[in-house]
């Protein structure tokens, strides 16, 4: 009976991850030898490199006078005393919300920048980009430009090659040491730590930090380079969700460049359609990621815009309009593509040029006004609102604070003389780098008085205390009152701390007494 049944249908399908189709997750690195280029974006990148490296290396050495009791360093992460100094701002651990606010601002700022000008962070300001650019400049200085580098790489290992290799890697390592060295100065007084490091008296963790950062800087900047962006950094994946059709990004305008031709004059004389791209590969040769922007938007593209400089140079030399590769929005690109194809799907150069060879007026040119749109406005307003809120809180912040915790068990004690005593744990925070004299007083507690554990029961209306600079003073405080003078078993009153220089900190607390005794004396 089984033999009579027809064979089951076989579907023409193949698993997407079959060994035949499976792509390797990692491709071995192919050496890239980016050619030097000059132009507007290259100059901007040099400027960004100068600014970012200067900020990084110089910041710990900026001095800021905080008096005799605090380090005179403008930016300092003082892990030992759990303080963060930033010029006139001093942040304590319980004020970590400032740091959280700054992180949220950095996140929204990244959203704002990416939605307007794409991966500008990757192209100009990311430490990986900046340090790779620096390492490439060293490589070019020692080995020469692209062609010389390729030649040297293929050459047998001679004494000249050995000297160049040793020289290049030594400078790279020196940059790594300086990078790690600069980092540790953010965590201690820089001049003191420098002399300790040089005299081998610094803590072990300082040397370990320099060693680790030297190794990572050398490996990421000199050896892995573009591999870090392609395989290690999550940002290229995240940015896809932030771009939209109005975001500016580096674009090859194939509506103008295609059909590309190395021999344009000959093709034109033969009546063939020819675009502006002369297929010179200059844009590929300068790319630090080693990719071809003419293949469209790619995850590897860090939008450094060096291909724009390279192509603009070629277009200028050929007497064409610049901007064959340019910053453009997808929206404008699509409109121009529609114009160039006329809906046929084939680019027709004659549709975008006049008889005189000029680009027609209908072409949509992207300008930087496209950055102002509802989405970017929302990001900007959110970013500014958080910044303003933080500035307001900072401006209203008082550097003298008091926190009070009422005893839970027992909430009160009745003394021999019939008065009632409540105990409190008080913390007075002097958040300035100077000592302070303060007076602790009570307000709103009829007949109330205070004593400290060493007052031997002697209560007073005010207690004077000296606060150490930049310290928290824990205090055990007893408050006494006659329950006959109180209106209820629970009285809300204030513990007030006033400094001689006029600062005031107030804590609202309860005074508790037995239920039955209130008002007896009245
Ligand atoms: S394709 Fe152009 S913008 Fe993208 S990484 Fe290469 S040179 Fe930079
Ligand atoms: S540099 Fe310009 S002209 Fe040369 S290949 Fe690239 S896009 Fe074409």
């Amino acid at each position: 009976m089984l033999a009579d049944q027809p064979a089951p249908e076989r579907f023409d399908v193949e698993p997407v991850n079959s060994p035949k189709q499976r792509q390797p997750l990692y491709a071995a690195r192919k050496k890239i030898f980016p050619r030097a280029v000059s132009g507007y974006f290259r100059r901007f990148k040099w400027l960004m490199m100068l600014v970012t490296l200067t900020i990084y290396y110089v910041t710990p050495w900026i001095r800021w006078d905080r008096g005799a009791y605090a380090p005179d360093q403008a930016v300092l992460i003082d892990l030992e005393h759990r303080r963060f100094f930033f010029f006139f701002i001093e942040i304590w651990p319980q004020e970590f919300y400032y740091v959280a606010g700054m992180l949220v601002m950095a996140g929204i700022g990244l959203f704002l920048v990416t939605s307007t000008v794409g991966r500008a962070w990757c192209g100009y300001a990311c430490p990986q980009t900046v340090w790779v650019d620096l390492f490439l400049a060293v490589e070019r200085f020692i080995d020469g430009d692209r062609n010389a580098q390729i030649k040297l790489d293929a050459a047998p290992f001679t004494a000249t090659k050995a000297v160049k290799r040793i020289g290049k890697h030594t400078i790279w390592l020196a940059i790594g040491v300086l990078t790690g060295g600069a980092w540790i100065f953010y965590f201690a007084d820089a001049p003191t730590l420098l002399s300790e490091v040089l005299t081998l008296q610094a803590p072990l963790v300082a040397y370990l930090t320099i060693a680790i950062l030297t190794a990572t800087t050398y490996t990421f900047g000199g050896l892995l380079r573009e591999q870090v962006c392609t395989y290690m950094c999550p940002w290229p994946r995240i940015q896809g969700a932030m771009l939209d059709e109005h975001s500016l990004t580096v674009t090859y305008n194939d509506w103008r460049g295609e059909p590309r031709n190395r021999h344009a004059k000959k093709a034109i004389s033969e009546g063939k359609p020819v675009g502006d791209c002369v297929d010179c590969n200059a844009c590929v040769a300068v790319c630090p990621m080693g990719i071809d922007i003419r293949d469209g938007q790619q995850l590897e593209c860090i939008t450094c815009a060096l291909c724009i400089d390279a192509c603009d140079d070629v277009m200028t030399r050929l007497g064409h309009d610049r901007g064959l590769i340019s910053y453009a929005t997808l929206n404008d690109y699509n409109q121009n593509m529609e114009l160039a194809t006329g809906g046929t799907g084939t680019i027709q150069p004659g549709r975008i040029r006049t008889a005189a060879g000029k680009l027609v007026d209908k072409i949509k040119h992207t300008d930087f006004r496209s950055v102002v749109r509802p989405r970017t406005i929302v990001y900007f307003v959110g970013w500014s609102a958080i910044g303003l809120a933080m500035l307001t809180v900072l401006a209203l912040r008082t550097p003298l604070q008091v926190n009070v915790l009422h005893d839970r068990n027992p909430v009160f004690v009745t003394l021999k003389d019939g008065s009632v005593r409540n105990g409190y744990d008080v913390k007075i925070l002097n958040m300035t780098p100077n000592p302070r004299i303060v007076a602790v007083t009570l307000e709103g507690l009829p007949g109330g008085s205070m004593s400290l554990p060493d007052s031997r029961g002697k209560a007073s209306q005010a207690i004077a205390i000296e606060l150490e600079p930049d310290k928290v003073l824990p205090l055990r405080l007893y408050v006494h009152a006659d329950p006959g003078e109180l209106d209820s078993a629970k009285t809300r009153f204030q513990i007030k701390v006033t400094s001689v220089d006029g600062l005031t900190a107030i804590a609202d607390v309860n005074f508790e007494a037995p239920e039955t005794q209130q008002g007896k004396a009245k």
Side-chain angles (χ1 to χ4, degrees), residues 3 18 22 51 81 91 115 117 123 131 133 171 192-193 233 243 251-252 260 292 297 331 362 373 428 452 458 471 509:
S18 71
R22 204 175 292 158
V51 170
H81 301 104
I91 295 180
S115 66
V117 283
W131 262 264
D133 229 13
I171 297 177
T192 312
L193 184 58
C233 179
L243 296 173
T251 307
Y252 168 61
R260 64 186 81 161
D292 187 345
Q297 293 298 318
N331 207 33
K362 279 191 197 161
R373 56 185 199 276
I428 305 174
L452 298 174
K458 202 170 154 217
K471 288 256 163 62
V509 281

Side-chain angles (χ1 to χ4, degrees), residues 199-401:
T199 54
L200 302 180
Q201 288 172 339
L204 180 63
V205 68
Y207 297 106
L208 282 176
T209 306
I210 294 175
I212 290 169
L213 285 178
T214 301
T216 49
T217 308
Y218 172 78
T219 310
F220 289 0
L223 307 182
L224 293 179
R225 298 185 183 178
E226 75 289 343
Q227 301 285 89
V228 174
C229 310
T230 308
Y231 293 107
M232 295 168 70
C233 179
W235 189 239
R237 280 89 185 158
I238 297 168
Q239 57 123 24
M242 297 182 191
L243 296 173
D244 61 32
E245 66 277 20
H246 300 291
S247 306
L248 285 167
T249 188
V250 177
T251 307
Y252 168 61
N253 296 307
D254 49 2
W255 49 266
R256 183 189 143 182
E258 302 296 322
R260 64 186 81 161
N261 201 312
R262 288 282 303 140
H263 308 286
K265 276 189 189 158
K266 188 169 169 233
I268 291 168
S269 68
E270 289 169 357
K272 289 183 187 164
V274 172
D276 281 349
C277 177
V278 291
D279 207 12
C280 63
N281 276 344
C283 50
V284 186
V286 300
C287 177
M289 302 298 289
I291 61 170
D292 187 345
I293 190 68
R294 293 173 300 172
D295 293 339
Q297 293 298 318
Q298 293 151 74
L299 175 139
E300 292 88 349
C301 176
I302 56 170
T303 68
C304 64
L306 295 182
C307 51
I308 297 182
D309 280 342
C311 190
D312 277 351
D313 184 43
V314 175
M315 292 295 107
T316 306
R317 279 192 273 130
L318 292 174
H320 292 324
D321 295 299
R322 293 154 71 94
L324 173 54
I325 302 174
S326 67
Y327 266 101
T329 67
L330 183 62
N331 207 33
D332 294 342
Y333 168 85
N334 285 340
Q335 284 187 39
N336 291 336
M337 200 61 171
E338 182 66 29
L339 183 67
T341 61
T344 62
T346 305
I347 296 168
Q348 301 162 42
R351 291 182 62 86
I352 54 140
R353 294 215 172 260
T354 63
K358 292 279 161 209
L359 291 171
V360 297
D361 291 339
K362 279 191 197 161
I363 284 173
K364 187 99 172 49
H365 294 284
T366 299
D367 63 41
F368 280 80
R369 272 173 293 182
S370 69
V371 301
V372 183
R373 56 185 199 276
R375 184 178 173 191
T376 55
I377 291 171
V378 167
Y379 286 147
F380 183 72
V381 168
W383 184 84
S384 310
I386 295 173
L388 276 176
M390 280 173 51
L391 280 178
T392 309
V393 174
L394 261 178
L396 299 176
R397 169 187 192 255
T398 159
L400 180 68
Q401 293 184 16

Side-chain angles (χ1 to χ4, degrees), residues 45-106:
K45 270 176 76 69
W46 287 132
L47 180 69
M48 285 299 292
M49 185 202 275
L50 185 71
V51 170
T52 48
L53 289 179
T54 304
I55 290 174
Y56 178 69
Y57 287 113
V58 172
T59 299
W61 297 93
I62 302 174
R63 302 290 92 192
W64 193 266
D65 185 12
R66 290 198 179 83
Y69 301 93
D72 290 337
Q73 189 155 314
V75 179
L76 178 68
I77 302 163
D78 186 350
L79 291 178
E80 188 187 348
H81 301 104
R82 299 193 294 160
R83 302 280 185 275
F84 173 47
F85 297 96
F86 187 81
F87 295 90
F88 63 95
I89 303 169
E90 179 186 338
I91 295 180
W92 283 40
Q94 68 269 33
E95 296 176 309
F96 196 75
Y97 49 83
Y98 286 118
V99 179
M102 280 192 267
L103 288 176
V104 172
M105 279 185 77

